[in-house]
Amino acid sequence: MPQDPNKLRKERREMAITLLACGIDPKKCILFEQSKVSGHAELAWILNCMTPFGWLARMTQWKSKMGVTRGIQTIEDVNSTAGLQLGLFAYPVLMAADVLLYKATKIPVGEDQVQHLELARDIAVTFNKTVKQPFFPLPRPVITETKRVMSLRDPTNKMSKSDASDQTRINLVDKPEVIRAKIRKATTDGLSGISYDRTERPAVANLVDMYAAINKVSIEDVVREHANSGNAQFKDALAEGIITALGPIQKEMERLSRDVGYVESVMQQGAARANEIARPNLEMIHTLVGLK
């Protein structure tokens, strides 16, 4: 949706720095900005023309964006003043184009993105039937054991940088004292000991998921280690684990922030490499649909 240009430029650079600091190796991966490869938008329009309105009406993303503040859950709830822009409504088609443009087959996603990937598969099937050949392979999700990290304050909502409250999440740039404070204030319950039950103890289960992921151990190991720990003791252990894991990343982010030229060169080279893959595929798509 419409963004402040200066803020968007800053956040784009920060995202590139974050990904590099987290270990993305530009020699092994192609890291680039979507907007620098025009084939994404071109393919999105072609796929828009093949995607039924009803498929998009069932998607949860626009509902969650609109429904949080306006109580909108179905397309019938939207009126001319509700502010549902076409860009938000049709965004899942652009996401499908992001995947299909490169004929990708394995897509790392969070649990909340599985619906979007299912839509991408449906669109691929529709396109293949339309052009009468299996041009697009059907992508499948690759999901880690930690499928979704939930809010520190409300375990029914996922942790998100778009949440109005900074206390709901751990930011990669948070200092140790901030991390400790946020984890100490995280929602738990009044039961003793640490156990894992997504239904009965969702808040504690969320913290267990975080502990297991950050320390690279199983949930069973976490529960066994902290079965007799109180919430405060467990939170302290979790906070220290997060601080230890984020330390090297934060140092690398600081270093890269002082080397903007390198970051920009990585992104430019990545866009060129992505275009080398995307352009021939898009030209074949143009031929298949009669645009060439």
Side-chain angles (χ1 to χ4, degrees), residues 32-75:
F32 67 100
E33 292 175 294
Q34 179 205 60
S35 59
K36 297 299 187 292
V37 180
S38 62
H40 290 256
E42 293 181 57
L43 179 56
W45 175 249
I46 293 171
L47 299 181
N48 274 331
C49 296
M50 299 182 181
T51 304
F53 182 89
W55 288 4
L56 296 178
R58 290 193 293 270
M59 302 302 289
T60 59
Q61 185 180 56
W62 70 266
K63 295 176 185 177
S64 63
K65 294 289 186 183
M66 300 288 291
V68 166
T69 57
R70 300 187 178 117
I72 293 172
Q73 289 300 318
T74 68
I75 198 66

Side-chain angles (χ1 to χ4, degrees), residues 65-249:
K65 294 289 186 183
M66 300 288 291
V68 166
T69 57
R70 300 187 178 117
I72 293 172
Q73 289 300 318
T74 68
I75 198 66
E76 287 76 17
D77 294 330
V78 179
N79 58 46
S80 60
T81 62
L84 175 60
Q85 291 95 342
L86 179 60
L88 175 60
F89 187 69
Y91 181 60
V93 182
L94 177 59
M95 295 177 71
D98 294 341
V99 171
L100 299 178
L101 181 59
Y102 301 95
K103 293 188 170 183
T105 57
K106 298 177 182 178
I107 316 300
V109 294
E111 189 178 45
D112 58 319
Q113 293 296 319
V114 170
Q115 186 190 42
H116 288 149
L117 195 56
E118 291 173 345
L119 177 69
R121 289 172 60 90
D122 290 340
I123 292 174
V125 169
T126 299
F127 181 93
N128 291 344
K129 288 182 178 179
T130 301
V131 302
K132 296 182 174 58
Q133 63 174 277
F135 181 77
F136 288 131
L138 303 185
R140 63 182 181 84
V142 177
I143 303 176
T144 63
E145 289 187 13
T146 308
K147 300 176 182 179
R148 187 187 303 198
V149 180
M150 310 307 286
S151 165
L152 294 176
R153 292 304 183 88
D154 181 0
T156 64
N157 291 322
K158 72 173 184 177
M159 186 180 290
S160 173
K161 63 181 181 181
S162 62
D163 195 297
S165 173
D166 192 60
Q167 298 300 311
T168 63
R169 58 184 173 271
I170 299 295
N171 303 300
L172 289 180
V173 296
D174 282 346
K175 296 185 179 301
E177 61 270 20
V178 174
I179 293 174
R180 292 187 184 99
K182 286 182 176 180
I183 295 298
R184 286 193 195 106
K185 295 177 181 178
T187 299
T188 49
D189 54 40
L191 300 180
S192 60
I194 300 300
S195 60
Y196 189 85
D197 189 322
R198 269 283 170 199
T199 302
E200 299 298 326
R201 306 189 71 186
V204 172
N206 183 44
L207 299 184
V208 171
D209 279 332
M210 293 173 62
Y211 188 102
I214 209 73
N215 290 288
K216 297 181 174 59
V217 297
S218 69
I219 288 173
E220 291 75 17
D221 287 340
V222 179
V223 172
R224 187 161 44 248
E225 179 184 356
H226 291 280
N228 297 317
S229 298
N231 287 334
Q233 182 182 355
F234 179 65
K235 286 180 177 181
D236 287 344
L238 172 59
E240 295 310 311
I242 294 173
I243 291 167
T244 299
L246 294 188
I249 295 174

Side-chain angles (χ1 to χ4, degrees), residues 8-9 18 79 171 209 252 266:
L8 181 58
R9 291 187 193 98
T18 298
N79 58 46
N171 303 300
D209 279 332
E252 183 64 3
V266 167

